[in-house]
Amino acid sequence: MKLLFLACLSPKTGNCTTAERIRAHIESAGHTCELRDAADFKSSAEVASLIEQKPPFEGAIAIHLFKGGRLLLGEATVPSENTQVPFGVVFGGTDINEDVKVEQKRAVMEQVLLKARFAVAFTDKLKAEAEVFLLSQSSKIYVQPQGIKTEAAQSFCWSEFLRRSGVSGEDVEDLHVFLLVCGLRRVKDPLYLLEAFSEWHTENPLVVLIIIGPKIDPVFTEEVEAISKSCVRPVVSPVSRRVLLLLCFSRSAGVYLAQERSQEELHAAMRRSAALVNSSVSEGMSAAILEAMDLEVPVVARDIPGNTAVVQHEVTGLLYSSPQEFVRVSQRLLVDGELRERVVANGKRYVEEHHSLDHEREAYQRLVDTLH
């Protein structure tokens, strides 16, 4: 079966990693699966034209009901032709957490869900949200947690990573590095912890926060770059103020921006970190959190629905609801060895039991069979 797979494919992001993993599952069953970036298409007519090519696509899958799914609603280049192939969709997270709040987008997503053969939600809560906010048939929404596989680069040099991130000093091996893995976009709120962490670093210079990830949001990235050239530039929005603070803080503030790395290098950096940090406003299911658990690294995550679906406070990780609470639970993590051992062991066990790559592969192969 020849399948078209649409997803947001910004390099080195969770969406891209998830799409590539699902494609591998589909192709391992003998299908042909062409993965394309949804951002390359302006309308469903363009996708319809692609589907019409010979040999034609026989089915399709999209991640994110609005960004990807709307492109599969079908708009034939020849009026008499029906180019809407059978398709399935995978909830991305922001489609249910954010886009559903916009009436126009919600109406489109309802049509996508109505016409889809199946829909995949990463968590029970995400499925429940879809059932509340979208006119959907519950029976076609399947819950399939993300499958996780980690592989740390063997040649990774920790001291070189710290140096390139801007961290200097003779005692780098004694540092407690908190690693915040995310793309530079507003929904990830990477600067949420800035002021509180900097105050903590002033009290304890051995704690540092490294923010690492690709530039996703062009507007947000432009804002960061513009402010970095002039720390006296006037700003208005709260986000801009935090960006200004970050870029104007001296190195002693203990907060650093690092260049994105390959997946293997990122996993190696996680392994050496005191904890993996999540500060997102909303999440579908954070792959970085699950990868940290698999690598036996403690997780300190913001208390939001997408995170609480996988992080149970003081069981599989630590949750916080404010920057000040983040500092408190992180301080405890550094001094309470029993707590650290418990969340690490439980996190590892949780991933092994609930995020099996084999189970994910079998699930997607069964769902693709419904597109015949």
Side-chain angles (χ1 to χ4, degrees):
M1 190 176 188
K2 185 181 178 183
L3 297 167
L4 175 64
F5 192 175
L6 299 176
C8 299
L9 300 179
S10 298
K12 301 175 183 176
T13 61
N15 272 341
C16 186
T17 301
T18 298
E20 289 175 345
R21 190 179 66 251
I22 294 174
R23 176 178 63 173
H25 294 335
I26 294 170
E27 292 188 333
S28 68
H31 302 292
T32 299
C33 187
E34 185 173 323
L35 183 58
R36 298 289 295 269
D37 194 338
D40 291 341
F41 302 95
K42 295 179 180 179
S43 68
S44 59
E46 291 185 7
V47 173
S49 179
L50 174 63
I51 289 173
E52 291 171 3
Q53 294 178 4
K54 305 298 182 182
F57 287 94
E58 301 163 273
I61 299 175
I63 294 180
H64 200 286
L65 265 69
F66 186 75
K67 293 178 181 177
R70 66 185 175 86
L71 297 171
L72 295 176
L73 289 179
E75 194 172 322
T77 54
V78 178
S80 60
E81 293 184 6
N82 179 15
T83 59
Q84 190 175 94
V85 295
F87 67 86
V89 290
V90 180
F91 291 104
T94 54
D95 41 12
I96 294 301
N97 294 328
E98 303 297 327
D99 292 338
V100 76
K101 301 171 186 175
V102 181
E103 185 175 350
Q104 183 180 7
K105 290 183 178 181
R106 185 174 67 249
V108 171
M109 292 192 292
E110 285 175 350
Q111 286 301 305
V112 171
L113 200 52
L114 182 66
K115 295 182 178 181
R117 293 277 181 91
F118 65 82
V120 177
F122 294 143
T123 67
D124 290 309
K125 185 166 184 59
L126 204 62
K127 176 181 178 178
E129 293 284 321
E131 291 170 346
V132 169
F133 293 111
L134 299 176
L135 299 175
S136 63
Q137 296 171 308
S138 178
S139 61
K140 70 165 60 173
I141 304 178
Y142 300 83
V143 176
Q144 176 54 51
Q146 292 199 69
I148 293 298
K149 178 183 179 183
T150 56
E151 186 175 350
Q154 297 300 314
S155 59
F156 181 78
C157 179
W158 179 239
S159 59
E160 177 67 9
F161 169 76
L162 294 177
R163 187 185 68 79
R164 287 182 174 273
S165 300
V167 182
S168 59
E170 298 179 357
D171 56 352
V172 292
E173 292 298 325
D174 297 326
L175 293 176
H176 302 294
V177 177
F178 288 77
L179 195 66
L180 199 168
V181 178
C182 69
L184 271 182
R185 54 183 179 137
R186 299 183 192 281
V187 72
K188 298 298 182 181
D189 207 4
L191 305 177
Y192 177 64
L193 301 171
L194 171 66
E195 294 175 75
F197 198 98
S198 296
E199 289 174 5
W200 182 25
H201 174 77
T202 301
E203 299 169 4
N204 180 3
L206 291 180
V207 296
V208 298
L209 175 66
I210 295 179
I211 302 170
I212 182 170
K215 300 174 181 178
I216 305 299
D217 183 337
V219 176
F220 186 65
T221 299
E222 275 183 27
E223 193 172 70
V224 172
E225 292 174 343
I227 295 173
S228 67
K229 295 175 183 176
S230 173
C231 286
V232 297
R233 175 174 170 166
V235 291
V236 177
S237 73
V239 173
S240 295
R241 289 194 191 95
R242 289 205 288 272
V243 174
L244 178 62
L245 283 169
L246 175 65
L247 296 168
C248 294
F249 261 94
S250 66
R251 289 299 186 192
S252 63
V255 180
Y256 302 85
L257 278 169
Q259 292 293 322
E260 60 189 276
R261 296 293 188 108
S262 69
Q263 192 79 347
E264 291 76 14
E265 290 175 315
L266 187 59
H267 289 165
M270 282 187 191
R271 265 186 171 171
R272 295 297 303 270
S273 300
L276 182 283
V277 179
N278 176 288
S279 61
S280 298
V281 174
S282 72
E283 287 280 3
M285 177 174 283
S286 169
I289 285 178
L290 297 173
E291 288 163 358
M293 288 179 174
D294 191 53
L295 292 165
E296 300 181 82
V297 178
V299 170
V300 185
R302 194 167 178 174
D303 192 347
I304 57 172
N307 288 342
T308 56
V310 296
V311 179
Q312 187 177 350
H313 187 56
E314 296 189 6
V315 178
T316 56
L318 299 174
L319 296 168
Y320 65 91
S321 300
S322 69
Q324 293 71 31
E325 189 176 9
F326 165 82
V327 172
R328 288 196 295 271
V329 298
S330 296
Q331 288 174 328
R332 185 182 167 198
L333 181 67
L334 294 182
V335 298
D336 191 337
E338 183 181 345
L339 172 65
R340 183 183 184 87
E341 290 178 9
R342 182 170 71 248
V343 298
V344 163
N346 289 337
K348 177 70 172 178
R349 188 180 306 111
Y350 168 79
V351 170
E352 290 176 343
E353 293 177 357
H354 299 280
H355 297 275
S356 161
L357 205 62
D358 290 338
H359 291 167
E360 183 186 51
R361 180 184 303 109
E362 293 167 3
Y364 279 101
Q365 289 177 354
R366 285 196 304 270
L367 290 171
V368 165
D369 286 342
T370 69
L371 300 180
H372 282 291

